[in-house]
Each structure stands twice: as structure tokens, then as C-alpha cells.
Coordinates of all heavy atoms in Angstrom, one line a residue:
M1 N -4.1 15.6 -2.7 CA -3.2 14.7 -3.5 C -4.0 14.0 -4.6 O -5.1 13.6 -4.4 CB -2.7 13.6 -2.5 CG -1.9 12.5 -3.2 SD -1.1 11.3 -2.1 CE -0.1 12.3 -1.0
D2 N -3.4 14.0 -5.8 CA -4.1 13.4 -6.9 C -3.8 11.9 -6.9 O -3.0 11.3 -6.2 CB -3.8 14.0 -8.2 CG -2.4 13.9 -8.7 OD1 -1.8 12.8 -8.4 OD2 -1.9 14.8 -9.4
E3 N -4.6 11.2 -7.8 CA -4.5 9.7 -7.8 C -3.1 9.2 -8.3 O -2.6 8.2 -7.8 CB -5.6 9.1 -8.7 CG -5.7 7.6 -8.6 CD -6.9 7.0 -9.3 OE1 -8.0 7.7 -9.4 OE2 -6.9 5.9 -9.7
K4 N -2.5 9.9 -9.2 CA -1.2 9.5 -9.8 C -0.2 9.6 -8.7 O 0.7 8.7 -8.5 CB -0.8 10.4 -11.0 CG -1.6 10.1 -12.2 CD -1.3 8.7 -12.7 CE -2.1 8.3 -13.9 NZ -2.2 6.9 -14.1
Q5 N -0.2 10.7 -7.9 CA 0.8 10.7 -6.7 C 0.5 9.6 -5.7 O 1.5 9.0 -5.2 CB 0.6 12.1 -6.0 CG 1.0 13.3 -6.8 CD 0.7 14.6 -6.1 OE1 -0.5 14.8 -5.7 NE2 1.6 15.5 -6.0
A6 N -0.8 9.3 -5.5 CA -1.1 8.3 -4.6 C -0.6 6.9 -5.1 O -0.1 6.1 -4.3 CB -2.6 8.3 -4.3
E7 N -0.8 6.7 -6.4 CA -0.3 5.4 -7.0 C 1.2 5.3 -6.8 O 1.7 4.2 -6.6 CB -0.7 5.4 -8.5 CG -2.2 5.2 -8.7 CD -2.6 5.2 -10.1 OE1 -1.8 5.3 -11.0 OE2 -3.9 5.2 -10.4
T8 N 1.9 6.4 -7.0 CA 3.4 6.3 -6.9 C 3.7 5.9 -5.5 O 4.6 5.1 -5.2 CB 4.0 7.7 -7.2 OG1 3.7 8.0 -8.6 CG2 5.5 7.7 -7.0
I9 N 3.1 6.5 -4.5 CA 3.3 6.2 -3.1 C 3.0 4.7 -2.8 O 3.7 4.0 -2.2 CB 2.6 7.1 -2.1 CG1 3.2 8.5 -2.2 CG2 2.6 6.6 -0.7 CD1 2.4 9.6 -1.5
A10 N 1.8 4.3 -3.3 CA 1.4 2.9 -3.1 C 2.4 1.9 -3.8 O 2.6 0.8 -3.3 CB 0.0 2.7 -3.7
L11 N 2.9 2.3 -5.0 CA 3.9 1.4 -5.6 C 5.2 1.3 -4.7 O 5.8 0.2 -4.7 CB 4.3 1.9 -7.0 CG 3.2 1.6 -8.1 CD1 3.5 2.4 -9.3 CD2 3.1 0.1 -8.4
Q12 N 5.5 2.4 -4.1 CA 6.6 2.3 -3.1 C 6.2 1.3 -2.0 O 7.1 0.6 -1.5 CB 6.9 3.7 -2.5 CG 7.5 4.7 -3.4 CD 7.7 6.0 -2.8 OE1 6.7 6.6 -2.3 NE2 8.9 6.5 -2.8
G13 N 5.0 1.4 -1.6 CA 4.5 0.5 -0.6 C 4.6 -1.0 -1.0 O 4.9 -1.9 -0.2
L14 N 4.2 -1.2 -2.3 CA 4.3 -2.6 -2.8 C 5.8 -3.1 -2.8 O 6.0 -4.2 -2.5 CB 3.7 -2.6 -4.2 CG 3.6 -4.0 -4.9 CD1 2.9 -5.0 -4.0 CD2 3.0 -3.9 -6.2
A15 N 6.7 -2.2 -3.2 CA 8.1 -2.6 -3.2 C 8.5 -2.9 -1.7 O 9.3 -3.8 -1.5 CB 8.9 -1.4 -3.8
F16 N 8.0 -2.1 -0.8 CA 8.3 -2.4 0.6 C 7.8 -3.7 1.0 O 8.5 -4.5 1.7 CB 7.6 -1.3 1.5 CG 7.7 -1.5 3.0 CD1 8.9 -1.1 3.7 CD2 6.7 -2.0 3.7 CE1 9.0 -1.3 5.0 CE2 6.7 -2.2 5.0 CZ 7.9 -1.8 5.7
L17 N 6.6 -4.1 0.6 CA 6.1 -5.4 1.0 C 6.9 -6.5 0.3 O 7.2 -7.5 1.0 CB 4.6 -5.6 0.5 CG 3.6 -4.7 1.1 CD1 2.2 -5.0 0.6 CD2 3.6 -4.7 2.6
A18 N 7.4 -6.3 -0.9 CA 8.2 -7.3 -1.6 C 9.5 -7.5 -0.9 O 10.0 -8.6 -1.0 CB 8.4 -6.8 -3.0
K19 N 10.0 -6.5 -0.2 CA 11.3 -6.7 0.5 C 11.1 -7.4 1.8 O 12.1 -7.8 2.5 CB 11.9 -5.3 0.8 CG 12.4 -4.6 -0.4 CD 13.0 -3.3 -0.1 CE 13.4 -2.5 -1.3 NZ 13.8 -1.2 -1.0
H20 N 9.8 -7.6 2.3 CA 9.5 -8.2 3.6 C 8.6 -9.4 3.3 O 7.4 -9.2 3.2 CB 8.9 -7.2 4.5 CG 9.7 -6.1 4.9 ND1 9.8 -4.9 4.1 CD2 10.6 -5.9 5.9 CE1 10.7 -4.1 4.6 NE2 11.2 -4.6 5.7
E21 N 9.2 -10.5 3.1 CA 8.5 -11.7 2.7 C 7.2 -12.0 3.5 O 6.2 -12.4 2.9 CB 9.4 -12.9 2.8 CG 8.8 -14.2 2.2 CD 9.8 -15.3 2.1 OE1 11.0 -15.1 1.9 OE2 9.4 -16.5 2.3
E22 N 7.3 -11.8 4.8 CA 6.1 -12.1 5.6 C 5.0 -11.1 5.3 O 3.8 -11.5 5.3 CB 6.4 -12.1 7.1 CG 6.8 -10.8 7.7 CD 8.2 -10.2 7.4 OE1 9.0 -11.0 6.9 OE2 8.5 -9.1 7.8
L23 N 5.3 -9.9 5.0 CA 4.2 -8.9 4.7 C 3.7 -9.2 3.3 O 2.5 -9.1 3.1 CB 4.8 -7.5 4.7 CG 5.2 -7.0 6.1 CD1 5.8 -5.6 6.0 CD2 4.0 -7.0 7.1
L24 N 4.5 -9.6 2.4 CA 4.1 -9.9 1.0 C 3.1 -11.1 1.1 O 2.1 -11.2 0.5 CB 5.2 -10.2 0.1 CG 4.8 -10.5 -1.4 CD1 4.1 -9.3 -2.0 CD2 6.1 -10.8 -2.2
S25 N 3.5 -12.1 1.9 CA 2.7 -13.3 2.1 C 1.4 -12.9 2.7 O 0.3 -13.4 2.3 CB 3.4 -14.3 3.0 OG 2.6 -15.4 3.2
Q26 N 1.4 -12.1 3.7 CA 0.1 -11.6 4.3 C -0.8 -10.9 3.3 O -2.0 -11.1 3.2 CB 0.5 -10.7 5.5 CG -0.7 -10.2 6.2 CD -0.4 -9.2 7.3 OE1 0.8 -9.1 7.7 NE2 -1.4 -8.5 7.9
F27 N -0.2 -10.1 2.4 CA -1.0 -9.3 1.4 C -1.5 -10.3 0.4 O -2.7 -10.2 0.1 CB -0.1 -8.3 0.7 CG -0.9 -7.5 -0.3 CD1 -1.9 -6.6 0.1 CD2 -0.7 -7.7 -1.6 CE1 -2.6 -5.9 -0.8 CE2 -1.5 -7.0 -2.6 CZ -2.4 -6.1 -2.1
V28 N -0.7 -11.3 0.0 CA -1.2 -12.2 -1.0 C -2.4 -13.0 -0.4 O -3.4 -13.3 -1.1 CB -0.1 -13.2 -1.5 CG1 -0.6 -14.4 -2.2 CG2 0.9 -12.4 -2.3
T29 N -2.2 -13.4 0.8 CA -3.3 -14.2 1.5 C -4.6 -13.4 1.6 O -5.7 -13.8 1.3 CB -2.8 -14.7 2.9 OG1 -1.7 -15.5 2.7 CG2 -3.9 -15.4 3.6
Q30 N -4.4 -12.1 2.1 CA -5.6 -11.2 2.3 C -6.3 -10.9 1.0 O -7.5 -10.8 0.9 CB -5.2 -10.0 3.0 CG -4.9 -10.1 4.4 CD -4.6 -8.8 5.1 OE1 -4.4 -7.8 4.5 NE2 -4.4 -8.9 6.4
S31 N -5.5 -10.7 -0.1 CA -6.1 -10.3 -1.4 C -6.6 -11.5 -2.2 O -7.5 -11.3 -3.0 CB -5.0 -9.6 -2.2 OG -4.0 -10.5 -2.6
G32 N -6.1 -12.7 -1.9 CA -6.6 -13.9 -2.6 C -5.9 -14.0 -4.0 O -6.3 -14.8 -4.8
L33 N -4.9 -13.2 -4.2 CA -4.2 -13.2 -5.5 C -3.0 -14.1 -5.4 O -2.4 -14.3 -4.3 CB -3.7 -11.8 -5.8 CG -4.8 -10.7 -6.1 CD1 -4.1 -9.4 -6.2 CD2 -5.6 -11.1 -7.3
S34 N -2.6 -14.6 -6.5 CA -1.3 -15.3 -6.6 C -0.2 -14.3 -6.9 O -0.5 -13.1 -7.2 CB -1.3 -16.4 -7.7 OG -1.4 -15.7 -9.0
I35 N 1.0 -14.7 -6.7 CA 2.1 -13.7 -7.0 C 2.1 -13.3 -8.4 O 2.3 -12.1 -8.7 CB 3.5 -14.4 -6.6 CG1 3.6 -14.6 -5.1 CG2 4.6 -13.5 -7.1 CD1 3.7 -13.3 -4.3
S36 N 1.8 -14.2 -9.4 CA 1.7 -13.8 -10.8 C 0.6 -12.9 -11.1 O 0.7 -11.9 -11.8 CB 1.7 -15.0 -11.7 OG 0.5 -15.8 -11.5
E37 N -0.6 -13.1 -10.4 CA -1.7 -12.1 -10.6 C -1.3 -10.8 -10.0 O -1.6 -9.7 -10.5 CB -2.9 -12.7 -9.9 CG -3.5 -13.9 -10.5 CD -4.6 -14.5 -9.7 OE1 -4.5 -14.6 -8.5 OE2 -5.6 -14.9 -10.3
L38 N -0.6 -10.8 -8.8 CA -0.2 -9.5 -8.2 C 0.7 -8.8 -9.2 O 0.6 -7.6 -9.3 CB 0.5 -9.9 -6.9 CG 1.1 -8.7 -6.1 CD1 0.0 -7.7 -5.7 CD2 1.9 -9.2 -4.9
K39 N 1.6 -9.4 -9.8 CA 2.5 -8.8 -10.7 C 1.8 -8.2 -11.9 O 2.1 -7.1 -12.3 CB 3.6 -9.7 -11.3 CG 4.6 -10.1 -10.2 CD 5.6 -11.2 -10.8 CE 6.6 -11.6 -9.7 NZ 7.5 -12.6 -10.2
K40 N 0.8 -8.9 -12.4 CA 0.0 -8.4 -13.5 C -0.9 -7.2 -13.2 O -1.1 -6.3 -14.0 CB -0.9 -9.5 -14.1 CG -0.2 -10.6 -14.8 CD -1.2 -11.7 -15.2 CE -0.5 -12.9 -15.7 NZ -1.5 -14.0 -16.0
R41 N -1.3 -7.1 -11.9 CA -2.2 -6.1 -11.5 C -1.5 -5.0 -10.7 O -2.2 -4.2 -10.0 CB -3.3 -6.7 -10.7 CG -4.2 -7.6 -11.5 CD -5.5 -8.0 -10.7 NE -6.1 -6.8 -10.1 CZ -7.0 -6.9 -9.1 NH1 -7.2 -8.1 -8.5 NH2 -7.6 -5.9 -8.6
A42 N -0.2 -5.0 -10.7 CA 0.6 -4.0 -9.8 C 0.2 -2.6 -10.1 O 0.4 -1.7 -9.2 CB 2.1 -4.3 -10.0
Q43 N -0.3 -2.2 -11.2 CA -0.6 -0.8 -11.5 C -2.1 -0.5 -11.3 O -2.6 0.6 -11.4 CB -0.3 -0.5 -13.0 CG 1.1 -0.7 -13.4 CD 2.0 0.4 -12.8 OE1 1.6 1.5 -12.6 NE2 3.2 0.0 -12.5
D44 N -2.9 -1.5 -10.8 CA -4.3 -1.4 -10.6 C -4.5 -0.5 -9.3 O -4.1 -0.9 -8.2 CB -4.9 -2.8 -10.4 CG -6.4 -2.7 -10.1 OD1 -7.0 -1.7 -9.7 OD2 -7.0 -3.8 -10.3
P45 N -5.2 0.6 -9.5 CA -5.4 1.5 -8.3 C -6.2 0.8 -7.1 O -5.9 1.1 -6.0 CB -6.3 2.7 -8.9 CG -5.9 2.7 -10.4 CD -5.7 1.2 -10.7
E46 N -7.1 -0.1 -7.4 CA -7.8 -0.8 -6.3 C -6.8 -1.7 -5.6 O -6.8 -1.7 -4.3 CB -8.9 -1.6 -6.9 CG -10.1 -0.7 -7.3 CD -11.3 -1.5 -7.8 OE1 -11.4 -2.7 -7.5 OE2 -12.1 -0.9 -8.5
L47 N -5.9 -2.4 -6.3 CA -4.9 -3.2 -5.6 C -4.0 -2.3 -4.8 O -3.6 -2.7 -3.7 CB -4.2 -4.0 -6.7 CG -3.1 -4.9 -6.0 CD1 -3.3 -6.4 -6.5 CD2 -1.7 -4.4 -6.3
L48 N -3.6 -1.2 -5.4 CA -2.6 -0.3 -4.7 C -3.3 0.2 -3.4 O -2.6 0.4 -2.4 CB -2.2 0.8 -5.6 CG -1.3 0.3 -6.8 CD1 -1.1 1.5 -7.7 CD2 0.0 -0.3 -6.3
G49 N -4.6 0.5 -3.4 CA -5.3 0.9 -2.2 C -5.2 -0.2 -1.2 O -5.0 0.1 0.0
G50 N -5.3 -1.5 -1.6 CA -5.1 -2.6 -0.6 C -3.8 -2.7 0.0 O -3.6 -3.0 1.1
V51 N -2.7 -2.3 -0.8 CA -1.4 -2.3 -0.3 C -1.3 -1.3 0.8 O -0.8 -1.5 1.9 CB -0.4 -1.9 -1.4 CG1 1.0 -1.6 -0.9 CG2 -0.3 -3.0 -2.4
L52 N -1.8 -0.1 0.6 CA -1.8 1.0 1.6 C -2.6 0.6 2.8 O -2.3 0.9 4.0 CB -2.2 2.3 1.1 CG -1.3 2.9 0.0 CD1 -1.8 4.3 -0.4 CD2 0.1 2.9 0.4
D53 N -3.8 -0.1 2.6 CA -4.6 -0.6 3.7 C -3.7 -1.5 4.6 O -3.8 -1.3 5.9 CB -5.8 -1.4 3.2 CG -6.9 -0.5 2.7 OD1 -6.9 0.7 2.9 OD2 -7.7 -1.0 1.9
L54 N -3.0 -2.4 4.0 CA -2.2 -3.3 4.8 C -1.1 -2.5 5.7 O -1.0 -2.8 6.8 CB -1.5 -4.4 4.0 CG -0.6 -5.3 4.7 CD1 -1.4 -6.3 5.6 CD2 0.3 -6.1 3.8
I55 N -0.5 -1.6 5.0 CA 0.5 -0.8 5.7 C -0.1 0.0 6.8 O 0.5 0.1 7.9 CB 1.3 0.1 4.7 CG1 2.1 -0.8 3.8 CG2 2.2 1.1 5.4 CD1 2.7 -0.1 2.6
L56 N -1.3 0.6 6.6 CA -1.9 1.4 7.6 C -2.5 0.6 8.7 O -2.8 1.2 9.8 CB -3.0 2.3 6.9 CG -2.5 3.4 6.0 CD1 -3.6 3.9 5.1 CD2 -2.0 4.5 6.9
E57 N -2.7 -0.7 8.6 CA -3.3 -1.5 9.7 C -2.4 -1.6 10.9 O -2.9 -1.8 12.0 CB -3.5 -2.9 9.2 CG -4.7 -3.1 8.3 CD -4.8 -4.6 7.8 OE1 -4.0 -5.4 8.2 OE2 -5.7 -4.8 7.0
D58 N -1.1 -1.5 10.8 CA -0.2 -1.7 11.9 C 0.8 -0.6 12.0 O 1.5 -0.2 11.1 CB 0.6 -3.0 11.5 CG 1.5 -3.5 12.7 OD1 2.5 -2.8 12.8 OD2 1.2 -4.5 13.3
D59 N 0.8 0.0 13.2 CA 1.6 1.2 13.4 C 3.1 0.9 13.2 O 3.8 1.8 12.6 CB 1.5 1.7 14.9 CG 0.1 2.4 15.1 OD1 -0.5 2.8 14.1 OD2 -0.3 2.6 16.2
K60 N 3.6 -0.2 13.6 CA 5.0 -0.5 13.3 C 5.3 -0.6 11.9 O 6.3 -0.1 11.4 CB 5.4 -1.8 14.0 CG 6.9 -2.2 13.8 CD 7.3 -3.5 14.5 CE 8.7 -3.9 14.3 NZ 9.5 -3.3 13.2
I61 N 4.5 -1.3 11.1 CA 4.7 -1.4 9.7 C 4.6 0.0 9.0 O 5.4 0.4 8.2 CB 3.7 -2.4 9.0 CG1 3.9 -3.8 9.6 CG2 3.7 -2.3 7.5 CD1 2.7 -4.7 9.2
L62 N 3.6 0.7 9.5 CA 3.4 2.1 9.0 C 4.7 2.9 9.2 O 5.2 3.6 8.3 CB 2.2 2.7 9.6 CG 2.0 4.2 9.3 CD1 1.7 4.4 7.9 CD2 0.8 4.7 10.2
L63 N 5.2 2.9 10.4 CA 6.3 3.8 10.7 C 7.6 3.3 10.0 O 8.4 4.1 9.5 CB 6.5 3.8 12.2 CG 5.4 4.6 13.0 CD1 5.7 4.5 14.5 CD2 5.3 6.0 12.5
D64 N 7.7 1.9 9.9 CA 8.9 1.4 9.2 C 8.9 1.8 7.7 O 9.9 2.3 7.2 CB 8.9 -0.1 9.2 CG 9.3 -0.7 10.6 OD1 9.8 0.1 11.4 OD2 9.2 -1.9 10.8
F65 N 7.7 1.7 7.1 CA 7.6 2.2 5.7 C 7.8 3.7 5.6 O 8.6 4.1 4.7 CB 6.2 1.8 5.1 CG 6.0 2.4 3.8 CD1 6.7 2.0 2.7 CD2 5.1 3.5 3.6 CE1 6.5 2.6 1.4 CE2 4.9 4.1 2.4 CZ 5.6 3.6 1.3
C66 N 7.1 4.4 6.4 CA 7.2 5.9 6.3 C 8.7 6.4 6.5 O 9.2 7.2 5.8 CB 6.3 6.6 7.3 SG 4.6 6.5 6.7
N67 N 9.4 5.8 7.5 CA 10.7 6.2 7.8 C 11.6 5.8 6.6 O 12.5 6.6 6.2 CB 11.3 5.5 9.0 CG 10.6 6.1 10.3 OD1 10.2 7.3 10.3 ND2 10.6 5.3 11.3
G68 N 11.4 4.7 6.0 CA 12.2 4.3 4.9 C 12.0 5.1 3.6 O 12.8 5.3 2.8
A69 N 10.7 5.5 3.4 CA 10.3 6.2 2.2 C 10.4 7.7 2.4 O 10.2 8.5 1.4 CB 8.9 5.8 1.8
G70 N 10.7 8.2 3.6 CA 10.8 9.6 3.8 C 9.4 10.3 3.7 O 9.3 11.5 3.3
L71 N 8.4 9.6 4.2 CA 7.0 10.1 4.1 C 6.4 10.2 5.5 O 6.8 9.4 6.4 CB 6.1 9.2 3.3 CG 6.5 9.0 1.8 CD1 5.7 7.9 1.2 CD2 6.3 10.3 1.1
S72 N 5.5 11.0 5.7 CA 4.8 11.1 7.0 C 3.6 10.1 6.9 O 3.0 9.9 5.9 CB 4.3 12.5 7.3 OG 3.2 12.8 6.4
P73 N 3.1 9.6 8.1 CA 1.9 8.8 8.1 C 0.7 9.6 7.5 O -0.1 9.0 6.9 CB 1.7 8.5 9.6 CG 3.1 8.5 10.2 CD 3.8 9.7 9.4
E74 N 0.7 10.9 7.7 CA -0.4 11.7 7.2 C -0.4 11.6 5.7 O -1.5 11.6 5.0 CB -0.4 13.1 7.7 CG -0.6 13.3 9.2 CD 0.6 12.9 10.0 OE1 1.8 12.9 9.5 OE2 0.4 12.7 11.2
T75 N 0.8 11.7 5.1 CA 0.9 11.6 3.6 C 0.3 10.3 3.1 O -0.4 10.2 2.1 CB 2.3 11.8 3.2 OG1 2.7 13.1 3.6 CG2 2.5 11.7 1.7
L76 N 0.6 9.2 3.9 CA 0.2 7.9 3.5 C -1.4 7.8 3.6 O -2.0 7.2 2.7 CB 0.8 6.8 4.4 CG 0.9 5.5 3.7 CD1 1.8 5.5 2.5 CD2 1.4 4.4 4.7
M77 N -1.9 8.4 4.6 CA -3.4 8.5 4.7 C -4.0 9.3 3.6 O -5.1 8.9 3.0 CB -3.8 9.1 6.1 CG -3.4 8.1 7.2 SD -3.8 8.9 8.8 CE -5.5 9.0 8.8
K78 N -3.4 10.4 3.2 CA -3.9 11.1 2.1 C -3.8 10.3 0.8 O -4.7 10.4 -0.1 CB -3.1 12.5 1.9 CG -3.4 13.5 3.0 CD -2.6 14.7 2.8 CE -2.8 15.7 4.0 NZ -2.0 16.9 3.9
A79 N -2.7 9.6 0.6 CA -2.6 8.7 -0.6 C -3.7 7.7 -0.6 O -4.3 7.5 -1.6 CB -1.2 8.1 -0.6
R80 N -4.0 7.1 0.5 CA -5.0 6.1 0.6 C -6.4 6.7 0.3 O -7.2 6.1 -0.5 CB -5.1 5.4 2.0 CG -6.1 4.3 2.1 CD -5.9 3.2 1.0 NE -7.0 2.3 0.9 CZ -7.9 2.3 -0.1 NH1 -7.8 3.2 -1.0 NH2 -8.8 1.3 -0.1
A81 N -6.6 7.9 0.7 CA -7.9 8.5 0.5 C -8.1 8.8 -1.0 O -9.2 8.9 -1.5 CB -8.0 9.8 1.3
A82 N -7.0 9.0 -1.7 CA -7.1 9.4 -3.1 C -7.3 8.2 -4.1 O -7.6 8.3 -5.2 CB -5.8 10.1 -3.5
L83 N -7.1 7.0 -3.5 CA -7.3 5.8 -4.3 C -8.7 5.2 -4.1 O -9.4 5.5 -3.1 CB -6.2 4.7 -3.9 CG -4.8 5.1 -4.3 CD1 -3.8 4.2 -3.6 CD2 -4.6 5.2 -5.8
P84 N -9.2 4.4 -5.1 CA -10.5 3.8 -5.0 C -10.7 3.1 -3.6 O -9.8 2.4 -3.2 CB -10.5 2.8 -6.1 CG -9.6 3.3 -7.1 CD -8.5 4.0 -6.3
G85 N -11.9 3.3 -3.0 CA -12.2 2.7 -1.7 C -11.7 3.4 -0.5 O -11.9 3.0 0.6
G86 N -10.9 4.5 -0.7 CA -10.3 5.2 0.4 C -11.0 6.4 0.9 O -10.5 7.1 1.8
M87 N -12.1 6.8 0.3 CA -12.8 8.0 0.7 C -13.3 8.0 2.1 O -13.6 9.0 2.7 CB -13.9 8.3 -0.3 CG -13.5 8.6 -1.6 SD -12.4 10.0 -1.6 CE -11.6 9.8 -3.2
H88 N -13.4 6.8 2.7 CA -13.9 6.7 4.1 C -12.9 7.0 5.1 O -13.2 7.2 6.3 CB -14.4 5.2 4.3 CG -13.4 4.2 4.3 ND1 -12.8 3.7 3.1 CD2 -12.6 3.6 5.3 CE1 -11.9 2.8 3.4 NE2 -11.7 2.8 4.7
I89 N -11.7 7.2 4.7 CA -10.6 7.5 5.7 C -10.6 9.0 6.0 O -10.6 9.8 5.1 CB -9.2 7.1 5.1 CG1 -9.2 5.6 4.9 CG2 -8.1 7.6 6.0 CD1 -7.9 5.1 4.3
S90 N -10.7 9.3 7.2 CA -10.7 10.7 7.6 C -9.3 11.2 7.8 O -8.4 10.5 8.3 CB -11.5 11.0 8.9 OG -10.9 10.2 9.9
I91 N -9.0 12.4 7.3 CA -7.6 12.9 7.3 C -7.6 14.1 8.2 O -8.4 15.0 8.2 CB -7.2 13.3 5.9 CG1 -7.2 12.1 5.0 CG2 -5.8 13.9 5.8 CD1 -7.1 12.3 3.5

């Protein structure tokens, strides 16, 4: 998977977080960003990697996102590996 495909999937993940206030709040808290900073950096590959990290942390969140997006968990793992900081993930 190339970085552009991974970014597209991660943007879907960010939209998923935005629809779930508690998850968005968790991401904002973990990242240390304000909502306005998050909006400004929404295309940043490093930030998008963090979005996928949050989704991958919890099986329920992962499955909810994957089911809604029509993606497999393996695809999400490949997307994370393609973004900065994700090379440590084994696929």
C-alpha cells in the first residue's frame, strides 16, 4: 500500500472519530492538539498515523470502523505501516 492510499484510509478514520465525540476527545487529549490545530493538520501524514494508532488500540473501535468503512483490520494495519512511524507494525 502506498502512502496516498494510507492517507485516504486514515482520513476516513478521522471522519469516524469526528462522528464519535468521545473518541475525538480521546484523540485530542492524546495528541495534545486543539480542535482548530487538528483541522489545520488534518492532511499531515504523522497526525493521520496517530488517528490509525488510536483506532488500532481497541478491538471494538477497530471492528466498528472497519465494518463501517468496508475494510479489513489487515488493510488498516497495512495503512498504518505505510504512514510515518508505522514501520514497526508487523503485518
Side-chain angles (χ1 to χ4, degrees):
M1 175 175 302
D2 67 33
E3 190 170 332
K4 288 296 178 196
Q5 291 171 309
E7 288 175 6
T8 299
I9 291 170
L11 284 168
Q12 290 176 303
L14 184 56
F16 174 81
L17 296 183
K19 292 178 185 174
H20 298 85
E21 188 175 324
E22 69 282 353
L23 294 177
L24 183 61
S25 177
Q26 182 180 348
F27 182 72
V28 168
T29 299
Q30 285 181 356
S31 69
L33 298 172
S34 67
I35 293 293
S36 64
E37 291 171 319
L38 177 61
K39 289 177 183 177
K40 289 178 190 173
R41 293 188 52 203
Q43 300 289 327
D44 180 341
E46 289 183 18
L47 180 128
L48 293 173
V51 167
L52 295 184
D53 285 341
L54 178 69
I55 293 170
L56 287 164
E57 283 179 1
D58 183 287
D59 288 343
K60 181 183 178 336
I61 296 168
L62 173 63
L63 293 175
D64 286 349
F65 171 70
C66 287
N67 289 333
L71 299 169
S72 69
E74 293 79 16
T75 299
L76 207 65
M77 291 176 66
K78 289 178 183 178
R80 180 60 189 105
L83 293 170
M87 294 302 161
H88 66 280
I89 294 175
S90 60
I91 300 170

